[in-house]
Amino acid sequence: MAAVTQPSFQSTFSPGSNLELQKSSACCSCQEKWIGYKCNCYFISNEVKTWEESKKYCASQNSSLFHLKREDEFQYFRNLSKDVYWIGLLYDETRDAWIWEDGSILSNNL
């Protein structure tokens, strides 16, 4: 699982163990073992957890599952690892839509 943070915002997703970790991005400083990318900090975990377990772990770390907002984020993290990881997206059958943890609907352009 991985976590994203802006100065005090965080979310999560999870690539593999062969990542080159950066301690900071160009505009913010990240905690040890976090990846800095475009003013966000991302935590990558190699632990195997269910989606719900990952969500709870992130909450315990004052973060949330990864919330993809821009195409460049997708490309950057897709290039880090070909593994599959949890993100903060779930299907809401009552709304017949993919919903992010914060309640927003997945953008058609992503």
Side-chain angles (χ1 to χ4, degrees):
M1 122 190 63
V4 181
T5 185
Q6 289 179 338
S8 63
F9 165 77
Q10 301 181 2
S11 79
T12 320
F13 109 112
S14 189
S17 60
N18 59 348
L19 296 176
E20 290 184 27
L21 301 180
Q22 301 171 328
K23 290 192 176 182
S24 64
S25 69
C27 55
C28 66
S29 179
C30 301
Q31 301 173 45
E32 186 177 342
K33 297 185 180 182
W34 288 59
I35 296 172
Y37 179 71
K38 294 206 175 183
C39 298
N40 292 306
C41 296
Y42 299 82
F43 174 73
I44 310 301
S45 170
N46 293 321
E47 293 181 38
V48 176
K49 296 182 182 288
T50 65
W51 186 86
E52 192 63 40
E53 289 170 334
S54 296
K55 181 180 171 184
K56 287 178 183 177
Y57 175 80
C58 292
S60 77
Q61 301 299 307
N62 194 30
S63 65
S64 61
L65 291 169
F66 181 66
H67 181 152
L68 178 65
K69 295 181 182 173
R70 298 179 314 269
E71 175 70 21
D72 65 304
E73 287 177 314
F74 171 73
Q75 294 301 328
Y76 178 78
F77 287 101
R78 187 175 74 152
N79 290 333
L80 286 178
S81 174
K82 299 300 180 199
D83 293 332
V84 177
Y85 304 97
W86 296 122
I87 62 173
L89 191 64
L90 60 144
Y91 188 74
D92 184 332
E93 291 183 18
T94 60
R95 294 168 71 181
D96 191 29
W98 287 96
I99 308 294
W100 292 105
E101 284 183 286
D102 67 2
S104 61
I105 296 175
L106 176 64
S107 170
N108 287 334
N109 64 355
L110 292 176

XYZ file of all heavy atoms in Angstrom, residues 13-46:
265
model
N -1.442 4.066 -2.098
C -1.370 3.019 -3.123
C -0.104 2.201 -2.895
O 0.692 2.570 -2.064
C -1.434 3.649 -4.520
C -0.172 3.610 -5.279
C -0.065 2.820 -6.407
C 0.934 4.316 -4.872
C 1.108 2.777 -7.123
C 2.108 4.272 -5.585
C 2.194 3.500 -6.712
N 0.183 1.065 -3.613
C 1.299 0.224 -3.166
C 2.172 -0.471 -4.204
O 1.903 -1.593 -4.578
C 0.749 -0.841 -2.237
O 1.777 -1.542 -1.634
N 3.285 0.092 -4.681
C 4.209 -0.615 -5.553
C 5.158 -1.587 -4.855
O 5.130 -1.714 -3.659
C 5.003 0.481 -6.238
C 4.342 1.727 -5.945
C 3.455 1.492 -4.741
N 6.013 -2.219 -5.639
C 6.900 -3.265 -5.134
C 8.162 -2.777 -4.461
O 8.370 -1.601 -4.262
N 9.035 -3.716 -4.140
C 10.208 -3.431 -3.320
C 11.390 -2.868 -4.096
O 12.365 -2.461 -3.501
C 10.638 -4.705 -2.607
O 10.949 -5.696 -3.564
N 11.329 -2.823 -5.414
C 12.474 -2.378 -6.187
C 12.418 -0.894 -6.534
O 13.015 -0.446 -7.485
C 12.608 -3.204 -7.471
C 11.381 -3.095 -8.334
O 10.351 -2.604 -7.907
N 11.486 -3.562 -9.557
N 11.725 -0.096 -5.724
C 11.595 1.332 -5.975
C 12.807 2.105 -5.498
O 13.408 1.775 -4.497
C 10.380 1.889 -5.216
C 9.036 1.344 -5.633
C 7.964 1.906 -4.737
C 8.752 1.686 -7.068
N 13.122 3.152 -6.225
C 14.110 4.096 -5.742
C 13.333 5.160 -4.973
O 12.531 5.877 -5.541
C 14.847 4.741 -6.908
C 15.768 3.786 -7.616
C 16.558 4.484 -8.698
O 16.789 5.701 -8.573
O 16.934 3.809 -9.646
N 13.548 5.256 -3.669
C 12.792 6.189 -2.859
C 13.449 7.558 -2.851
O 14.661 7.672 -2.762
C 12.673 5.658 -1.433
C 11.997 4.298 -1.310
C 11.942 3.880 0.154
C 10.609 4.310 -1.901
N 12.635 8.575 -2.931
C 13.098 9.949 -2.824
C 12.593 10.482 -1.501
O 11.470 10.219 -1.118
C 12.510 10.803 -3.946
C 12.866 10.322 -5.318
C 12.072 11.065 -6.369
O 10.941 11.461 -6.144
N 12.681 11.251 -7.522
N 13.416 11.262 -0.799
C 12.984 11.787 0.484
C 12.163 13.054 0.354
O 11.501 13.445 1.289
C 14.180 12.021 1.395
C 14.804 10.721 1.843
C 15.773 10.939 2.939
C 16.292 9.587 3.403
N 17.201 9.688 4.494
N 12.201 13.717 -0.788
C 11.398 14.923 -0.935
C 11.104 15.192 -2.396
O 11.756 14.677 -3.283
C 12.115 16.120 -0.320
O 13.314 16.369 -1.017
N 10.078 15.986 -2.620
C 9.774 16.447 -3.964
C 10.353 17.841 -4.098
O 10.992 18.349 -3.192
C 8.256 16.440 -4.179
O 7.653 17.436 -3.394
N 10.118 18.473 -5.212
C 10.694 19.793 -5.455
C 10.158 20.855 -4.502
O 10.816 21.855 -4.272
C 10.423 20.205 -6.895
N 8.982 20.651 -3.925
C 8.387 21.714 -3.124
C 7.982 21.284 -1.716
O 7.346 22.046 -1.012
C 7.201 22.319 -3.843
S 5.973 21.108 -4.316
N 8.324 20.072 -1.291
C 8.020 19.680 0.081
C 9.001 18.606 0.539
O 9.608 17.927 -0.261
C 6.581 19.187 0.220
S 6.217 17.658 -0.649
N 9.140 18.483 1.818
C 10.024 17.476 2.395
C 9.179 16.299 2.863
O 8.152 16.492 3.509
C 10.783 18.091 3.575
O 11.623 17.125 4.142
N 9.600 15.097 2.524
C 8.839 13.904 2.880
C 9.545 13.128 3.989
O 10.766 13.161 4.103
C 8.685 12.992 1.663
S 7.836 13.787 0.283
N 8.755 12.386 4.756
C 9.298 11.530 5.804
C 10.165 10.437 5.180
O 10.038 10.122 4.008
C 8.164 10.860 6.573
C 7.202 11.809 7.238
C 6.032 11.047 7.823
O 6.211 10.028 8.459
N 4.834 11.548 7.586
N 11.016 9.841 5.999
C 11.840 8.730 5.553
C 10.951 7.619 4.996
O 9.878 7.334 5.523
C 12.662 8.198 6.725
C 13.656 7.137 6.317
C 14.518 6.685 7.483
O 14.592 7.391 8.502
O 15.099 5.601 7.354
N 11.381 7.004 3.913
C 10.701 5.910 3.217
C 9.469 6.358 2.440
O 8.678 5.535 2.006
C 10.342 4.771 4.177
C 11.554 4.120 4.795
C 11.173 2.939 5.640
C 12.416 2.320 6.248
N 12.128 1.156 7.042
N 9.294 7.653 2.258
C 8.210 8.178 1.437
C 8.803 8.687 0.132
O 9.946 9.130 0.085
C 7.473 9.312 2.147
C 6.619 8.848 3.296
C 7.033 8.176 4.407
C 5.225 9.023 3.446
N 5.978 7.933 5.239
C 4.853 8.447 4.680
C 4.246 9.632 2.665
C 3.544 8.442 5.137
C 2.935 9.630 3.133
C 2.592 9.041 4.344
N 8.032 8.641 -0.953
C 8.446 9.115 -2.264
C 7.855 10.492 -2.487
O 6.647 10.677 -2.344
C 7.954 8.167 -3.378
C 8.594 6.797 -3.223
C 8.252 8.747 -4.755
C 8.002 5.767 -4.157
N 8.689 11.453 -2.850
C 8.197 12.791 -3.169
C 7.914 12.911 -4.646
O 8.720 12.517 -5.485
N 6.751 13.433 -4.988
C 6.393 13.667 -6.381
C 5.421 14.835 -6.460
O 4.329 14.771 -5.887
C 5.766 12.421 -7.008
C 5.353 12.621 -8.438
C 6.310 12.731 -9.442
C 4.024 12.723 -8.792
C 5.943 12.933 -10.762
C 3.641 12.919 -10.108
C 4.604 13.025 -11.086
O 4.244 13.232 -12.394
N 5.822 15.902 -7.139
C 4.980 17.079 -7.376
C 4.254 17.569 -6.119
O 3.031 17.619 -6.078
C 3.993 16.806 -8.491
C 4.672 16.621 -9.831
C 3.766 16.961 -10.945
C 4.561 16.877 -12.235
N 3.794 17.253 -13.373
N 5.005 17.905 -5.106
C 4.472 18.487 -3.863
C 3.585 17.535 -3.073
O 2.767 17.959 -2.252
C 3.724 19.791 -4.136
S 4.785 21.054 -4.838
N 3.708 16.257 -3.313
C 3.012 15.233 -2.545
C 4.040 14.225 -2.059
O 5.081 14.047 -2.674
C 1.976 14.486 -3.398
C 0.825 15.367 -3.785
O 0.183 15.971 -2.954
N 0.580 15.450 -5.079
N 3.719 13.546 -0.978
C 4.568 12.471 -0.465
C 3.756 11.185 -0.487
O 2.607 11.167 -0.065
C 5.031 12.779 0.961
S 6.076 14.241 1.061
N 4.358 10.123 -1.006
C 3.684 8.841 -1.176
C 4.425 7.784 -0.375
O 5.641 7.658 -0.490
C 3.679 8.437 -2.653
C 2.956 9.412 -3.539
C 3.570 10.562 -3.992
C 1.639 9.175 -3.914
C 2.909 11.466 -4.815
C 0.964 10.066 -4.735
C 1.609 11.209 -5.180
O 0.945 12.083 -5.985
N 3.690 7.000 0.397
C 4.287 5.903 1.151
C 4.006 4.606 0.418
O 2.872 4.335 0.024
C 3.704 5.828 2.561
C 4.192 4.632 3.330
C 5.490 4.578 3.808
C 3.359 3.551 3.549
C 5.953 3.471 4.494
C 3.814 2.437 4.234
C 5.107 2.397 4.707
N 5.037 3.798 0.250
C 4.907 2.512 -0.433
C 5.166 1.404 0.576
O 6.202 1.371 1.224
C 5.939 2.389 -1.573
C 5.923 3.617 -2.494
C 5.728 1.090 -2.339
C 4.599 3.894 -3.142
N 4.237 0.484 0.694
C 4.390 -0.638 1.613
C 4.452 -1.936 0.825
O 3.770 -2.078 -0.196
C 3.202 -0.684 2.583
O 3.226 -1.880 3.325
N 5.240 -2.880 1.295
C 5.313 -4.195 0.664
C 4.446 -5.214 1.382
O 4.438 -6.388 1.030
C 6.765 -4.679 0.632
C 7.594 -3.823 -0.289
O 7.134 -3.419 -1.346
N 8.794 -3.512 0.129
